[in-house]
């Protein structure tokens, strides 16, 4: 999903460089049918239909591209966009949240198999040559409101996958399966049961379906043999009357033993979250000199507005600095790793400082690139509908480059267009010194990783909700991304 298991979308390809990037042009497009597959009889559909668009990230392996749509996988010739095979299954009914919209973020590939999570949280293996089903497993054992939207992750001979639905009440989990057979190897619950560590951080009845979705693709470090996975918000996400306490292990990064699923360590970004600050943002693993010492780091920009640097061998916090200018809920992160909260105001900032879309770290500039949103929310209060509400400024989005040693913004690019959180798009860095991204107004853009200077941009006039990727085939480098309901491939 990110090109490698580190979670860092920074490609080693260099054929497209600063001297020729302005010559990029569209080589082919491939449209994936969406509308006929939706079920428009749900309130969630009606409220969000304007935001429909693919969230898939293409994967290219051995000269074949694999992309997904709603309960669909396509195998394409990456040079021409010609369809090789197509797998589809009917959309499920009675789903909620993103799964009901047909969201799917991509596949994983290992050996002869392509792996996909379906909208109703089934994990399936398809034959890479024919697209025919090989095996299928039902991930949840319990009849809760589970869904599936994520791209799985390959770790050794296993497929690791998580679930969505944390905004509607589930007991979140992550599970690993044998790639050859689909046999479950382990399952790790993100919401503890009575007697488990962390259960004492829940006061009330909400723990039974406390959320903690695992719908973002994780990261893996082969050297330390550790799997890192983010967890989502607690549920109910704003009504905390039945969930006092920190609500572990929501809004966390979990470091797990991939052989057993056992917890090595965790870090909770937002204890007792009431703002839907889901921590399913990228956990980027980098080895670099940090403050004069060689360190194994985990980089994470969170929805709560803080950028974190952790020692990924033990979870110790090395840095936590805000990367949005408007942040009103905490004055900082303390030495104990917990936020230093301040009294709530009528306007709470941020609404969401970033989202699930990819980030990138450059080992050359040692900068971390992230899409940031400056947006606040008016806090509801008793009787507020009768009184004048505080003014809420329009949201603004920026591509920001952060110094990982200080957390300071080195440079930024303001973007035009609606920054509503439904059109966020991720970034791709390359060893040629270029950062690619889709901006809020529907442009696809390339900038210099050193200073943000614009090198090229093209208007695509459609919603870009996902992250670009790059690949090489036949000695040529290409860039591909999902735009609206279409895969667009660029080349020189």
């Amino acid at each position: 999903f990110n090109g490698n298991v580190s979670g860092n979308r920074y490609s080693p390809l260099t054929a497209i460089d600063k001297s020729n990037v302005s010559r990029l042009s569209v080589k082919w497009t491939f449209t994936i049918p969406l509308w006929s597959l939706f079920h428009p009889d749900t309130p969630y559909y009606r409220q969000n239909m304007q935001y429909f668009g693919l969230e898939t990230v293409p994967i290219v392996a051995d000269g074949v591209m694999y992309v997904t749509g709603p309960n669909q996988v396509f195998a394409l010739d990456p040079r021409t966009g010609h369809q090789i095979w197509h797998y589809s299954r009917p959309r499920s009914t009675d789903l909620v949240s993103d799964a009901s919209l047909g969201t799917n973020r991509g596949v994983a590939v290992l050996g002869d198999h392509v792996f996909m999570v379906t909208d109703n949280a089934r994990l399936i293996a398809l034959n890479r040559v024919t697209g025919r089903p090989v095996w299928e497993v039902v991930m949840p054992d319990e009849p809760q409101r589970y869904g599936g939207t994520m791209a799985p992750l390959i770790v050794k001979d296993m497929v690791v996958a998580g679930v969505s639905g944390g905004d509607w009440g589930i007991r979140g989990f992550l599970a690993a399966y044998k790639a050859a057979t689909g046999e479950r190897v382990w399952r790790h619950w993100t919401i503890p049961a009575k007697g488990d560590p962390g259960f004492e951080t829940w006061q009330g009845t909400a723990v039974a379906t406390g959320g903690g979705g695992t719908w973002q693709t994780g990261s893996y470090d082969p050297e330390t043999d550790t799997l890192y996975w983010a967890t989502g918000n607690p549920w109910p996400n704003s009504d905390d009357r039945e969930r006092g306490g920190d609500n572990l292990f929501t809004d966390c990064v979990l470091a797990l033993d991939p052989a057993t699923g056992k917890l090595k360590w965790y870090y909770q970004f937002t204890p007792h979250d009431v703002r839907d600050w889901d921590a399913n943002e990228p956990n980027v693993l980098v080895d670099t000199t940090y403050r004069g010492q060689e360190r194994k780091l985990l980089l994470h920009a969170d929805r709560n507005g803080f950028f974190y640097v952790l020692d990924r061998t033990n979870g110790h916090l090395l840095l936590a600095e805000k990367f949005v200018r408007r942040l009103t809920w905490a004055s900082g992160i303390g030495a104990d790793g917990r936020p230093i909260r301040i009294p709530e105001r009528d306007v709470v900032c941020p609404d969401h400082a970033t989202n699930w879309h990819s980030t990138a770290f450059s080992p050359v500039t040692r900068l971390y690139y992230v899409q940031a949103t400056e947006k606040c929310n008016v806090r509801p209060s008793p009787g507020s509908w009768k009184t004048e509400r505080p003014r809420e400024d329009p949201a603004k989005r920026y591509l920001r480059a952060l110094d990982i040693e200080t957390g300071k913004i080195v440079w930024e690019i303001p973007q035009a267009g609606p920054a509503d959180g439904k059109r966020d798009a991720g970034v791709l860095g390359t060893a040629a010194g270029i950062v690619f991204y889709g901006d809020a107004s529907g442009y696809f853009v390339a900038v210099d990783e050193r200073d943000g200077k614009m090198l090229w941009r093209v208007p695509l006039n459609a919603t870009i909700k996902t992250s670009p990727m790059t690949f090489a085939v036949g000695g040529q480098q290409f860039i591909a991304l999902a735009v609206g309901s279409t895969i667009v491939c660029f080349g020189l």
Side-chain angles (χ1 to χ4, degrees):
F1 177 74
N2 286 305
N4 59 62
V5 291
S6 74
N8 189 16
R9 196 179 293 265
Y10 192 87
S11 169
L13 298 182
T14 58
I16 297 172
D17 59 28
K18 297 174 190 177
S19 70
N20 60 27
V21 66
S22 62
R23 304 207 314 267
L24 281 177
S25 62
V26 175
K27 293 302 180 182
W28 56 262
T29 63
F30 182 85
T31 299
I32 293 177
L34 295 177
W35 298 98
S36 63
L37 299 173
F38 293 126
H39 295 284
D41 55 346
T42 65
Y44 194 85
Y45 173 97
R46 291 191 291 271
Q47 294 166 9
N48 291 276
M49 60 182 298
Q50 62 178 307
Y51 303 122
F52 280 155
L54 293 172
E55 296 186 11
T56 185
V57 173
I59 283 182
V60 176
D62 299 327
V64 179
M65 175 182 286
Y66 304 93
V67 297
T68 60
N71 272 6
Q72 302 177 79
V73 182
F74 295 83
L76 308 176
D77 183 331
R79 296 163 296 184
T80 65
H82 174 74
Q83 180 177 308
I84 300 170
W85 56 256
H86 173 215
Y87 168 83
S88 67
R89 60 195 288 156
R91 293 278 292 112
S92 303
T93 58
D94 301 322
L95 295 175
V96 294
S97 194
D98 288 356
S100 72
L101 304 181
T103 298
N104 189 282
R105 299 187 173 96
V107 301
V109 175
L110 179 66
D112 296 330
H113 296 164
V114 175
F115 304 93
M116 174 192 178
V117 174
T118 67
D119 60 358
N120 58 352
R122 273 62 174 165
L123 178 63
I124 61 174
L126 306 175
N127 182 281
R128 280 180 66 180
V129 177
T130 65
R132 293 173 183 162
V134 178
W135 55 255
E136 175 176 338
V137 295
V138 180
M139 294 173 61
D141 296 334
E142 303 75 15
Q144 296 181 7
R145 307 182 83 173
Y146 289 105
T149 59
M150 62 161 298
L153 181 72
I154 300 298
V155 177
K156 300 179 181 178
D157 61 349
M158 299 181 298
V159 189
V160 185
V163 291
S164 63
D167 291 326
W168 298 83
I170 61 169
R171 187 183 177 208
F173 68 87
L174 182 69
Y177 302 84
K178 291 183 179 179
T181 64
E183 177 187 352
R184 190 166 71 198
V185 180
W186 52 259
R187 176 163 59 176
H188 182 93
W189 294 102
T190 63
I191 305 298
K194 187 175 183 179
D196 291 342
F199 183 80
E200 72 282 357
T201 67
W202 293 80
Q203 286 100 53
T205 60
V207 65
T209 52
T214 50
W215 52 267
Q216 167 77 331
T217 306
S219 308
Y220 173 65
D221 179 7
E223 189 172 341
T224 62
D225 195 24
T226 305
L227 176 66
Y228 301 89
W229 215 277
T231 66
N233 54 275
W235 186 84
N237 55 16
S238 58
D239 181 355
D240 61 352
R241 288 173 294 180
E242 286 296 327
R243 59 171 183 87
D246 284 352
N247 307 141
L248 289 175
F249 292 88
T250 64
D251 289 0
C252 286
V253 54
L254 307 179
L256 305 172
D257 181 340
T260 64
K262 300 295 185 183
L263 184 66
K264 293 185 176 183
W265 58 260
Y266 73 91
Y267 181 86
Q268 188 174 40
F269 300 102
T270 311
H272 193 78
D273 177 17
V274 293
R275 297 295 169 201
D276 195 17
W277 285 330
D278 198 318
N280 276 289
E281 287 78 56
N283 290 307
V284 174
L285 316 181
V286 299
D287 296 341
T288 187
T289 302
Y290 188 75
R291 298 176 180 172
Q293 182 180 349
E294 289 299 314
R295 304 295 291 256
K296 294 184 178 298
L297 304 178
L298 183 149
L299 312 177
H300 176 99
D302 197 79
R303 282 196 202 188
N304 69 15
F306 285 96
F307 168 64
Y308 298 82
V309 179
L310 302 177
D311 182 329
R312 73 172 185 270
T313 66
N314 53 28
H316 289 173
L317 180 66
L318 303 176
L319 174 82
E321 292 288 338
K322 67 177 187 177
F323 67 98
V324 289
R325 292 188 171 89
R326 303 174 67 187
L327 194 150
T328 63
W329 70 279
S331 61
I333 305 298
D336 60 357
R338 298 179 64 87
I340 305 169
R341 295 181 183 267
I342 56 180
E344 287 198 349
R345 307 174 183 178
D346 289 336
V347 178
V348 179
C349 310
D351 172 39
H352 73 284
T354 189
N355 212 318
W356 61 272
H357 312 88
S358 65
T359 59
F361 170 77
S362 167
V364 178
T365 64
R366 303 186 72 254
L367 298 177
Y368 184 70
Y369 307 98
V370 60
Q371 295 271 28
T373 301
E374 296 281 357
K375 184 179 188 299
C376 300
N377 259 344
V378 175
R379 181 172 64 90
S381 58
S384 61
W385 61 275
K386 297 180 181 179
T387 61
E388 183 178 349
R389 293 167 63 89
R391 185 173 66 88
E392 193 172 350
D393 293 333
K396 187 75 173 177
R397 189 183 309 154
Y398 299 82
L399 174 65
R400 286 182 171 151
L402 308 181
D403 182 328
I404 66 167
E405 296 203 4
T406 65
K408 303 303 182 186
I409 300 169
V410 176
W411 57 258
E412 66 181 11
I413 302 173
Q415 300 175 30
D420 51 22
K422 303 293 185 179
R423 300 177 178 88
D424 294 346
V427 304
L428 164 71
T430 73
I434 302 174
V435 176
F436 294 90
Y437 67 98
D439 77 3
S441 58
Y443 277 84
F444 188 42
V445 186
V447 300
D448 191 313
E449 70 173 10
R450 296 171 302 176
D451 52 18
K453 178 182 177 182
M454 185 171 295
L455 303 172
W456 170 81
R457 72 173 189 161
V458 59
L460 299 179
N461 300 314
T463 297
I464 305 174
K465 297 179 63 178
T466 186
S467 308
M469 58 84 68
T470 186
F471 65 95
V473 63
Q476 298 183 26
Q477 184 183 353
F478 301 88
I479 311 281
L481 78 160
V483 182
S485 60
T486 300
I487 305 298
V488 182
C489 183
F490 294 88
L492 295 174

